[in-house]
Amino acid sequence: MAGNEVLDKLYKIIEDRISSQKEGSYTVKLYQKGKPYIAQKVGEEASEVIVAALAETKERLVEEVADLLYHLLVLMAVSNVKPEDVYEELKRRMKE
Ligand SMILES: N=c1c2ncn([C@@H]3O[C@H](COP(=O)(O)OP(=O)(O)OP(=O)(O)O)[C@@H](O)[C@H]3O)c2ncn1[C@@H]1O[C@H](COP(=O)(O)O)[C@@H](O)[C@H]1O
């Protein structure tokens, strides 16, 4: 899988978890706690990215960015925002 396909694939898995309510899924656990809780998790993960960027190793930063991206995708999924919506907005802004 090409690197740029990973977020799309993860988003689809997240959508599947939410629709199937798969047992033992962390995504389902987040979904059941509701959007305010998921939004709060995004804030916490963003703070952890900041700490890692300023005071920890590159490896920790990579892990924290991955945590943030995952939680952001869950928040997008429960808000019915697709990755394509974000890609379109980024393309619209893009200056070359
Ligand atoms: N990419 C991720 C991913 N990144 C981070 N996390 C989870 O995010 C949590 C972050 O840790 P925290 O300490 O902040 O949270 P916690 O204490 O475990 O839980 P809280 O009670 O605080 O919510 C960990 O439990 C990680 O396992 C993820 N959980 C799932 N995925 C992927 O999402 C897909 C669906 O996973 P499931 O829903 O678990 O099947 C799969 O492809 C997974 O690989």
Side-chain angles (χ1 to χ4, degrees):
M1 193 183 345
N4 60 4
E5 292 167 358
V6 171
L7 289 180
D8 289 350
K9 170 115 192 244
L10 183 54
Y11 185 85
K12 285 199 172 75
I13 294 171
I14 287 166
E15 283 188 317
D16 285 349
R17 292 294 194 272
I18 292 171
S19 59
S20 70
Q21 291 289 295
K22 189 177 181 198
E23 205 172 318
S25 159
Y26 178 72
T27 309
V28 172
K29 184 185 127 186
L30 280 178
Y31 177 77
Q32 289 173 344
K33 288 190 173 184
K35 199 198 255 194
Y37 180 82
I38 299 166
Q40 183 190 315
K41 287 296 292 185
V42 169
E44 287 171 17
E45 299 301 341
S47 302
E48 287 171 19
V49 166
I50 292 167
V51 171
L54 297 180
E56 295 177 354
T57 61
K58 182 177 171 182
E59 287 71 23
R60 284 294 301 150
L61 179 56
V62 169
E63 289 170 3
E64 296 300 352
V65 170
D67 276 350
L68 176 59
L69 288 173
Y70 162 76
H71 285 86
L72 205 46
L73 289 176
V74 177
L75 185 60
M76 286 165 57
V78 302
S79 306
N80 197 29
V81 171
K82 310 278 180 203
E84 298 74 42
D85 298 330
V86 179
Y87 299 152
E88 281 307 314
E89 179 62 19
L90 286 171
K91 275 195 272 178
R92 197 182 61 75
R93 296 177 188 185
M94 197 172 283
K95 301 168 194 163
E96 291 193 69

